[in-house]
Amino acid sequence: MIPISHSTQPERQSPQPPPTGVTPLTESGARSHVAGVCFKIGPPRLVGVEVEWFVHDDRCPTRPVRPELLRDALASMPLGGPDGTSLPSGSRLTLEPGGQVELSSPPATGLVACVEDTRRDMTALRAAFAAQGLRLTGTGTDPLARPRRMVLDHPRYLAMERFFDSAGPWGRIMMTGTASVQVCVDAGDTDGPHAVRRRWLLTHRLGPVLVAAFANSPLLDGKPTGHRSTRQTVWSRMDPSRTLAPQPDHGDPGEAWAQYVLDAEVLCMRRPEGLPWTAPPGLTFRDWVRGGGERPPTLADLDYHRTTLFPPVRPRGHLELRMIDAQPGDGWVVPAALVTALLDDPAAADAALAALEPLQCADGPRPPRSDAWRRAATLATADPELRRATLACFAAADAALGRLPGAGRLRTAVAEFAERYPARGRCPADDQLDALRSGTRRTLPEEAAP
């Protein structure tokens, strides 16, 4: 993702090659570093969201948006915020490889503040794009049959393109044709009801319910795919060393994640300007530490390598849940409220874990290739077992939101979503499919919030 400002588009981490003369990493040093920086320990307090959209030109939705229109819309944004480079409430904008726009909220103290701050910044974002005749479309895959292309030529994305193309079309579809809602919550405390291990386990077990309830990507290239969440299906078919989950049920989360990072293939090695960021095929970071590669890796290489890993739950100091399809309008509010309520309210967490237990299969493939995740992506809440678990989780979240001061409107939104979708064995993808079958969908899905 490339951050946006009025004057520059710097990379989040320096594109310069690692400095010479730096002490090379050891395996034990790499494990210790990853476990330490990826799980910040303390009572849960902060909440954030990252919301992505496709950009369509209302005058000709089936054509790619002209780059100058996108630039004009971004340049008109009312940047300022606390540090002068973000939106009024502190959110930041990034561009994805296919031209999707992502708004990342700042960490907020609690769910209510997060929703209020993000809504203010999203209002500014929509207005700026509408002034250029552009529409932000919230759906997990681009529903239109229009050319998918890389609009960014940064070495990182060129390396990703080369890496993923070697294993089929899924990586290119992911980069240019998918969008999501990511909910970010604190990792948790040392022990007690908010212990890291407990929150790590719950975020993974929630995965199939979050995929099923918010499935919103039934179309690709203008045609039904047979999956309610095509986006999730695409992710499940990509490089398993960077898209499968670690083993969430076993051992210490920090150690499990450190081993995962070391065992993942190296996607790219940063080099001076003009040189491609390639990596030897099949080289894992553990291999690199043990002497593979053209030079010894450094701590900066390890930190950059972590940014190229995309499991369903990614620890970045906090926990980033990545399995939710983009939603129409303000529909992102419901998954944010559901996740936060279930994780931060101990009674709700107990109820959710009990409801999710029937979906577990210890001997099967890891998420997102397990049976429950596959059924969630294909059938969503039309699957009876998933529907029961989903409704139980929504009921637990409803009770938790009733105990949260100032959350009355959020509680109502969650209850209305539950009644409209999982209670009827439906998900947002079914709205798109119904409109397609009836002939009422002209070009883009309806953007009214549920």
Side-chain angles (χ1 to χ4, degrees):
M1 295 175 290
I2 302 299
I4 300 162
S5 70
H6 283 324
S7 58
T8 61
Q9 292 189 359
E11 192 200 5
R12 278 183 178 168
Q13 298 192 16
S14 170
Q16 298 303 316
T20 58
V22 176
T23 303
L25 280 176
T26 63
E27 260 187 80
S28 61
R31 287 199 306 271
S32 177
H33 175 75
V34 169
V37 302
C38 293
F39 292 88
K40 301 298 185 184
I41 305 302
R45 186 174 60 91
L46 302 177
V47 182
V49 292
E50 300 176 16
V51 189
E52 294 176 350
W53 292 275
F54 294 102
V55 182
H56 293 99
D57 189 333
D58 270 336
R59 290 154 293 197
C60 190
T62 57
R63 292 183 183 177
V65 174
R66 292 186 288 116
E68 58 269 25
L69 275 181
L70 188 57
R71 287 196 298 268
D72 289 344
L74 294 171
S76 70
M77 291 302 304
L79 298 184
D83 61 1
T85 63
S86 56
L87 293 176
S89 294
S91 300
R92 293 184 177 276
L93 297 177
T94 56
L95 277 179
E96 297 297 311
Q100 308 96 312
V101 172
E102 178 181 278
L103 182 147
S104 300
S105 78
T109 303
L111 172 64
V112 175
C114 173
V115 170
E116 291 176 351
D117 290 347
T118 306
R119 275 181 165 154
R120 278 193 293 270
D121 285 347
M122 287 177 58
T123 297
L125 176 64
R126 287 194 182 103
F129 274 64
Q132 300 293 330
L134 301 178
R135 177 177 179 176
L136 300 175
T137 304
T139 180
T141 50
D142 191 338
L144 300 185
R146 60 176 187 164
R148 285 193 302 271
R149 64 183 186 185
M150 297 279 287
V151 302
L152 302 176
D153 60 357
H154 190 278
R156 172 188 174 94
Y157 296 129
L158 296 177
M160 289 177 68
E161 187 177 41
R162 284 190 294 266
F163 182 91
F164 289 128
D165 279 353
S166 65
W170 314 112
R172 189 180 290 257
I173 294 172
M174 177 275 291
M175 294 173 70
T176 62
T178 65
S180 69
V181 172
Q182 297 170 20
V183 182
C184 301
V185 293
D186 281 332
D189 218 337
T190 305
D191 50 28
H194 299 301
V196 170
R197 289 191 186 194
R198 175 180 166 89
R199 289 167 71 85
W200 178 248
L201 178 65
L202 180 53
T203 53
H204 284 87
R205 291 199 171 181
L206 268 175
V209 160
L210 296 175
V211 172
F214 303 108
N216 189 34
S217 50
L219 307 176
L220 188 66
D221 293 331
K223 299 176 182 177
T225 65
H227 302 270
R228 297 299 196 279
S229 179
T230 303
R231 173 186 167 275
Q232 184 58 52
T233 300
V234 167
W235 278 104
S236 72
R237 295 177 178 178
M238 292 170 55
D239 171 28
S241 81
R242 62 187 3 90
T243 59
L244 289 185
Q247 292 289 357
D249 296 356
H250 305 293
D252 174 67
E255 179 61 24
W257 178 243
Q259 297 294 348
Y260 182 96
V261 171
L262 287 171
D263 289 336
E265 284 193 49
V266 177
L267 187 149
C268 62
M269 294 182 179
R270 292 173 293 166
R271 294 185 176 86
E273 185 174 356
L275 296 178
W277 290 15
T278 53
L283 180 77
T284 68
F285 202 89
R286 192 186 304 275
D287 296 333
W288 195 3
V289 171
R290 291 178 176 179
E294 62 198 44
R295 58 170 175 78
T298 67
L299 194 61
D301 293 315
L302 176 60
D303 286 337
Y304 199 88
H305 172 65
R306 290 191 292 108
T307 72
T308 70
L309 307 182
F310 311 107
V313 181
R314 183 165 66 175
R316 301 175 57 195
H318 57 272
L319 302 181
E320 177 187 81
L321 282 71
R322 303 177 51 84
M323 69 287 288
I324 304 166
D325 280 357
Q327 300 293 297
D330 282 342
W332 59 272
V333 170
V334 177
L338 180 74
V339 168
T340 307
L342 294 179
L343 282 167
D344 287 359
D345 185 291
D350 285 341
L353 284 169
L356 295 166
E357 184 62 35
L359 299 178
Q360 304 312 306
C361 181
D363 297 329
R366 284 184 286 158
R369 297 190 178 188
S370 67
D371 178 65
W373 285 71
R374 179 186 56 79
R375 287 185 284 127
T378 304
L379 301 173
T381 58
D383 179 278
E385 190 175 45
L386 281 164
R387 182 165 64 253
R388 285 192 294 271
T390 299
L391 288 172
C393 288
F394 270 80
D398 176 77
L401 291 168
R403 295 185 285 268
L404 180 65
R409 290 177 60 193
L410 297 178
R411 186 183 187 189
T412 298
V414 170
E416 289 177 348
F417 186 97
E419 175 60 29
R420 179 175 179 178
Y421 293 115
R424 303 179 185 184
R426 291 175 60 85
C427 61
D430 291 306
D431 293 343
Q432 292 193 48
L433 292 172
D434 288 349
L436 187 68
R437 295 185 190 109
S438 68
T440 59
R441 185 180 76 85
R442 301 298 181 87
T443 52
L444 297 172
E446 177 58 49
E447 271 296 287

